[in-house]
Amino acid sequence: MTEADFALLGIDAPTILYVWSWGFGSVVFSWFMGFPIGAAISTIKKL
């Protein structure tokens, strides 16, 4: 397959970057939400 074949399928650099950034962003967002919640739950259990 050539680059033109991939482009016909909708697979090109901007699309790959867009999908990758959404995936990476969702993982980072989930971590930023889960870490403080987990720390709060852990702190409450220790009381």
Side-chain angles (χ1 to χ4, degrees):
M1 294 191 91
T2 64
E3 185 177 336
D5 295 333
F6 285 121
L8 288 174
L9 294 172
I11 303 172
D12 54 357
T15 305
I16 291 171
L17 181 61
Y18 178 75
V19 170
W20 182 86
S21 64
W22 265 101
F24 184 78
S26 65
V27 169
V28 171
F29 176 76
S30 297
W31 184 85
F32 273 113
M33 294 303 289
F35 182 77
I37 292 170
I41 290 172
S42 173
T43 302
I44 290 170
K45 284 184 179 180
K46 288 180 182 179
L47 294 177

